[in-house]
Amino acid sequence: MTAPEVSVVVPYYRAQADLDRLLAALAAQDHPASRLQVVIADDGSPEPPALPAELPFASAVVRHEDRGFRASAARALGVQAAEGSVLAFLDGDMLPEPGYLTAACAAPAASGLAVVVGRRRHLDPRLLEAGGWRPGESVPEWARLEEPAWLARAYADSEDLRRADSTSYRFIISAVLTVAREVYEDAGGFDPSFVGYGGEDWELAHRLWRAGGAFAYEPRAVAWQAGEDFGGREDPAEARRVKNREALVLAPRIAAPTARGLSLGLGGDDCPARAAVTLGAAGDAATVLGADALLQAFPSARLLVRGALGDDAAACLTDERVALEAPAGEPDAAGPSDPRVALRSAPDWGVDVAAPVRPAEPGARPVPKDASDLLLRLERDGVERVEVTDEAGDVLATLTSSRARWREHREGAVPPARTLRVRAADLGWRAVEAEPDLEAWWGGWG
């Protein structure tokens, strides 16, 4: 099979020695140099990076002005100059082994949805300081530092990300990230608005997931970095401060429970939700009870109630998470054209409930963690659509993942990768009776 056209995008800032070593490592790749382009994206260095006069592959340098640490914007700028169908992102201090690109690019060459993270390993900086060692040579045992245990455990638990879910963005590292251009562009690419260390790769990864990206960890794509992982390089207190800032930046951008817990909804039309729920009205008391039950199950959801309600019922649904269906004839607002905005504002799951539902057991109340865990299990199993039925087999609710919706947007009318049909009783839910005891529901005895 012909090797793919690959563009390696490298963010750079005042690190010529690191760049020289990286270029040497790329020159030693077993991927054909004739099908390789390297784009150096300078994040505003006082002096531009210097490239050797003779390189075996095509190269380019792009620059923007220095307005702080803007690695995300630099990568986005680099992609504009990239010509390959496969985009390989490598940080400037990485040293890929000779087989790195061949291993990392195999899946993106075969599928436009592939998102591959390589194996970032760490070496003792004294190996570089001593001289004599060259990229492409084996790293001696004494210079091999321990790999981050949390990443190794995550890849093992997820079967190398084959059983990924919407929280798996945390295991996608931009220092060793390779993606098919198709899914990268579908997701909108790196966000240039990020300023400061960290978070931009996780935010991109979550959009890649929503757009249907097929995550994979490729342990044969090995690249070395001098020094320990971030957590081992920094003073613990300073590291915690940096990571807390990163968490605060990501919370309004990522709806997964690992980004903001289960109850923090956050506001704004462009703030993603874990679930967007549409509820069909069926009597005032039943509808209000069903809305309350669904919001207990999904505390951060956006809830739209379809159908006419009396004034008293409508007054009970003035929660900012709840919207009542617009009157007939009002035009729908046009959706955003920027895929970054579209994917951020979309929910991970759309839940269409035909008529109000409630927990089946008397006195039982929804447990948000149970609902969240169910969605994660569905995602890991590749389920993109769920049909929840009553005892008669009629569909009470339909759950559709953003991945299925985006795939349909991209490819047209295609069936979801996997549809699950399950009885509401098996999930511990049932339809609300026509005239429920609303006081008993609220009081906790019914």
Side-chain angles (χ1 to χ4, degrees):
M1 187 176 70
T2 303
E5 295 278 1
V6 178
S7 292
V8 176
V9 178
V10 181
Y12 172 90
Y13 184 77
R14 300 183 69 177
Q16 186 67 49
D18 286 344
L19 179 59
D20 291 342
R21 284 189 288 264
L22 172 56
L23 291 173
L26 290 172
Q29 293 292 300
D30 59 20
H31 184 88
S34 62
R35 303 185 70 78
L36 176 60
Q37 176 199 29
V38 177
V39 181
I40 310 303
D42 183 11
D43 191 16
S45 302
E47 298 294 333
L51 272 60
E54 298 294 332
L55 286 171
F57 41 74
S59 62
V61 175
V62 293
R63 307 183 72 202
H64 61 206
E65 62 180 324
D66 186 0
R67 296 209 306 263
F69 185 97
R70 294 192 295 149
S72 189
R75 294 189 189 99
L77 181 65
V79 171
Q80 294 179 24
E83 300 173 356
S85 60
V86 176
L87 303 173
F89 297 95
L90 281 168
D91 279 1
D93 58 351
M94 302 306 298
L95 297 170
E97 292 188 349
Y100 178 87
L101 287 177
T102 298
C105 296
S111 169
L113 294 177
V115 177
V116 176
V117 59
R119 183 183 180 189
R120 180 178 60 177
R121 301 195 64 183
H122 301 270
L123 58 79
D124 192 319
R126 291 176 296 177
L127 180 66
L128 304 181
E129 296 163 0
W133 180 85
R134 295 291 180 268
E137 297 176 357
S138 177
V139 175
E141 286 295 331
W142 69 263
R144 301 183 179 201
L145 304 180
E146 289 188 16
E147 297 182 61
W150 67 278
L151 268 180
R153 186 167 54 250
Y155 297 142
D157 291 347
S158 64
E159 300 176 11
D160 290 344
L161 295 181
R162 285 189 293 272
R163 298 192 70 244
D165 59 44
S166 57
T167 70
S168 298
Y169 65 87
R170 298 159 54 240
F171 314 130
I172 303 298
I173 311 298
S174 57
V176 284
L177 173 63
T178 305
V179 299
R181 180 186 283 272
E182 179 182 342
V183 73
Y184 176 88
E185 292 181 347
D186 275 353
F190 277 101
D191 185 346
S193 70
F194 272 84
V195 179
Y197 174 85
E200 75 279 355
D201 47 1
W202 286 3
E203 192 273 338
L204 169 63
H206 194 253
R207 278 187 281 114
L208 289 167
W209 171 260
R210 286 183 162 202
F215 287 5
Y217 167 61
E218 179 47 80
R220 296 172 298 175
V222 177
W224 294 86
Q225 182 179 44
E228 297 185 38
D229 186 36
F230 171 80
R233 295 197 305 264
E234 299 287 337
D235 170 80
E238 176 61 15
R240 178 56 55 207
R241 186 192 69 79
V242 172
K243 292 299 290 182
N244 279 339
R245 177 194 171 276
E246 179 185 72
L248 293 171
V249 168
L250 290 177
R253 292 172 163 90
I254 296 177
T258 45
R260 66 169 80 148
L262 297 175
S263 299
L264 192 61
L266 306 181
D269 292 337
D270 60 348
C271 189
R274 183 66 173 135
V277 183
T278 302
L279 171 62
D284 286 359
T287 301
V288 170
L289 191 156
D292 190 20
L294 289 167
L295 288 175
Q296 287 185 42
F298 301 104
S300 62
R302 295 193 293 263
L303 175 65
L304 172 66
V305 179
R306 293 194 314 263
L309 288 177
D311 291 344
D312 291 337
C316 291
L317 297 176
T318 55
D319 187 296
E320 62 182 11
R321 296 168 294 176
V322 180
L324 303 183
E325 188 175 45
E330 288 193 8
D332 293 331
S337 58
D338 185 335
R340 281 196 301 270
V341 177
L343 282 164
R344 277 194 191 139
S345 60
D348 283 341
W349 285 88
V351 183
D352 187 4
V353 184
V357 292
R358 62 179 292 175
E361 291 295 321
R365 295 296 180 266
V367 178
K369 188 176 186 306
D370 291 347
S372 178
D373 288 349
L374 171 63
L375 296 183
L376 292 177
R377 289 197 301 273
L378 294 170
E379 291 166 356
R380 292 180 200 126
D381 290 341
V383 174
E384 293 186 350
R385 180 183 174 91
V386 182
E387 294 179 350
V388 182
T389 65
D390 60 17
E391 293 298 326
D394 296 325
V395 176
L396 281 175
T398 304
L399 288 72
T400 309
S401 73
S402 67
R403 294 166 63 78
R405 295 194 304 273
W406 198 260
R407 208 154 53 88
E408 183 176 356
H409 164 77
R410 178 173 54 240
E411 302 173 16
V414 296
R418 183 180 172 197
T419 297
L420 176 67
R421 192 174 177 90
V422 60
R423 295 189 314 160
D426 294 335
L427 299 175
W429 288 74
R430 64 174 175 85
V432 178
E433 53 270 41
E435 199 63 54
D437 187 338
L438 194 54
E439 183 180 35
W441 167 260
W442 278 329
W445 59 83

